Structure formats: structure tokens, C-alpha cells
Amino acid sequence: MKFINITKTILLVLMTMISYQSYALENVCTRTGVVRYKLESLLQKPCHEIKNTDLEQVTHLDLKDSQITSLKIKDFEGLTQLKALSLDKNSLTTLPLGILQGQEKLEYISLKQNKISTLPENLFQGLTNLRTLDLSYNEIQQIPSTLFRGLNVEDILLTSNKIENIQPELFKGLRRLRELKLSNNQISKISAGSFSDLQNLEKLFLSKNQIKQLPSNLLSNATSLQFLNLSENKMTSLPPGFFSGAENLRILYLQYNWLSELNSNLFRYTTNLSYLYLGGNKINTLPESLFQGLSSLIVIGLNDNLISSIPDGLFQGLPALELVLLSFNELKEISYYVFSPLGFSTKAYLSISSGNLLTSETKQMLKTQLGKNVDIGM
């Protein structure tokens, strides 16, 4: 009797194993064609011979440019060791909820250059090892407020979509985020507090949107921010203390907006700023203390504006300055003291050659003062 019971137990175990393997085999063979062929190619086996242990060997799955229009919920089942998934350059419009369940080891997901318009709210739930998420070049208009909830992601790329606004909950809890790309969308509104949890954010891209104004405290916790691109928007002004939390900012792009006046304290807290681009705006006057305290400033771009005069002390106290761009303004005369040896860095180069109406006396004075370090078109 004991022997019979042992035999029954063994048979039961064997049947369970066969059933489990058969499930895996059937599952692989019934997956979306492109996925099935890719797995067969990677594992060098026909689908009906692929076991769960085989699937666990797959760490990278590249399905880009495969003309995929849709995927099944079980397409990635069993790929428990998968670390990188690329679905670039397909025609996906969405992904089924649950398709990424069981892929807890995923570190990289790229879905760029598809036709994605919507994504399920909890699509990325449980992917705590995810570091890079690329959703750029799609047709996303609205993002579910909890889409990124619980992630430890470091890079989120949303460039070239159709996003219209950023809600305050969207990036909540993403304290490890280092790079956020939102350029070339249709963003007109960013709610206050949207970036309040992004203390480790180093790079923020917001160029080529429809932004007219920004909350004064938007960057209040951006203590790690080093790069900010706000170019090609529709901003007419910036709040006086807008950069007060971004004391480590080094590179700032503000060109091609509608800025006409700049508050004298606008850059007061950005003492580490090295590259400042303000070209292509409607700036007509510059406060004399605008760059005061910016001892690390290397490049100042003021080209393509409406500047008609420059305060005497504007460039004083800038020992690191190497390049000033002032072409295409409305300058006629410039005071001797603006670029005098006592107030202007001896290694700085001035580009002022085109688009101004400088008098011959002013041109000669600049040539005498700066020698080879000036381009005045003479």
C-alpha cells in the first residue's frame, strides 16, 4: 500500500511538470508572431521545444522596427530575467495592462517612435528596478497621474508627444529621477508642485512647448538641477525668485521666447551658472546688476533682441567670461566703460558684428579696447 502511494505521488508530480511545461510550450507558440520568431531566434529552438527554463535565459529583447501593431497580454510571460526591452519604431497605439507583469528585473524600456496615444494607469506597476523609460515620439496627449507611481526610474523621456499639461501628481515620489525630457510637446500649463519631489533631477528639457508662464515655486526643490532648457516657448516674463531653489544650475536656455524685461534679481541665486542663452527674445533693457555675483559665467547670449543700450557695469565682476553675443540688436553707441579693461574680462570675446547700427566712433573704440577679441564687422 505504501509503495502504491509513493508511485501515485511520483506520477502526480510528473503530470504536474508535464502540464506546466505544456502550458509554457503552448504559450510560446501562440504569442504574437514577431515575439514568437524572436524568441525562437534567441533560443535557437522552435516554439514547441521552448521551456520555462529557456525563457529565463533571455535578458534582452529587441523588437524594434518589426511592424508590430498590437501585442498580447501573455507575450512576455516567463521572461523573468528580462532587463532590457526595445519596441522602437513600430505602430503600437497602446499596451495591454498586465503585459509587463512578472518582469520585475526590467531596467530599460523603450517605446519610442510608435503611435501610442494612451497607456493603462498601472502599466509599469511593480517594475522597481526600472531605470530608463523612453516614450518619446508618440502621440500621447494625457498621462495617467499614477503611471509612474512607485518607480525608481532615473530617466524619463517624453519628447515629441502631444502632452498639453503637467499635473502635480504625475512625478510624485520620483526621488531618483535625474533626467526628464518634455520638449516638443504642446504643454501650456505646469501645475505648482509638479517637480517638488525631484530633488535629484539634474537635467530638465521643456523647450518647444506653448508655455506662457510658470509657477514661481516650480524649481523650489531643484537643488541638483544643472541643466534647464526653456527655449522656444511663449514666456513674456519670469518671476523674480524663479531660480531660487536651483543654486547648482550651470546651463540655462531661455532663447526664442517673448521675454521683454528681466528682473534685476532673476539670477541672484544661480551663482554656479556658466552658460546663459537669452537670444531671440524682445529684451530692450538690461538691469545693471542682472549678472551680479555670477562669477562662473562663461557665455552670455544676448543676440537677436531689441537692446538699444548697455549699462556701464553690466559685465563687471565676471572673471570667467569668455564670450558675449550681442549681434542683431539695436545698438548704436556703447559707453567706453562697458568693455573697459577694468570692467570686462581680458580673455572674453565679443560678437557684435551683425544687425546693429554702431557708429564708426563706437566701432573704433571697441577695436582699440578689445583688439582681436571683438567681431564688429569692420
Side-chain angles (χ1 to χ4, degrees), residues 121 318 369:
E121 195 164 309
L318 305 177
Q369 280 185 317

Side-chain angles (χ1 to χ4, degrees), residues 27-163:
N27 184 264
V28 172
C29 288
T30 57
R31 299 186 188 199
T32 300
V34 173
V35 179
R36 181 173 73 250
Y37 298 144
K38 188 66 176 181
L39 291 175
E40 289 177 325
S41 176
L42 286 171
L43 298 170
Q44 294 294 294
K45 290 182 178 181
C47 65
H48 62 272
E49 291 184 9
I50 296 175
K51 301 180 177 64
N52 283 351
T53 51
D54 297 319
L55 294 175
E56 290 171 0
Q57 296 175 28
V58 179
T59 58
H60 293 73
L61 189 59
D62 186 352
L63 296 167
K64 66 172 175 284
D65 205 7
S66 299
Q67 299 182 347
I68 302 171
T69 57
S70 63
L71 289 166
K72 299 176 182 178
I73 193 170
K74 301 290 187 179
D75 272 341
F76 305 138
E77 190 175 45
L79 303 175
T80 56
Q81 303 301 310
L82 194 62
K83 291 185 177 181
L85 174 62
S86 176
L87 286 160
D88 305 349
K89 298 182 181 180
N90 284 292
S91 298
L92 293 165
T93 57
T94 189
L95 289 179
L97 181 61
I99 192 172
L100 299 174
Q101 188 174 352
Q103 277 77 51
E104 286 84 2
K105 294 193 176 181
L106 265 174
E107 299 175 4
Y108 173 90
I109 297 176
S110 182
L111 289 158
K112 67 182 178 184
Q113 289 181 265
N114 277 278
K115 298 179 181 180
I116 296 171
S117 56
T118 59
L119 289 169
E121 195 164 309
N122 297 311
L123 179 64
F124 304 116
Q125 188 174 18
L127 303 184
T128 54
N129 287 304
L130 191 63
R131 296 294 177 264
T132 299
L133 177 58
D134 192 346
L135 293 165
S136 54
Y137 297 95
N138 277 286
E139 299 177 10
I140 300 169
Q141 184 172 343
Q142 278 194 319
I143 304 174
S145 59
T146 60
L147 185 65
F148 308 126
R149 191 69 51 84
L151 298 182
N152 296 312
V153 67
E154 295 176 356
D155 306 289
I156 294 179
L157 289 71
L158 286 159
T159 305
S160 298
N161 277 280
K162 297 180 179 180
I163 301 165

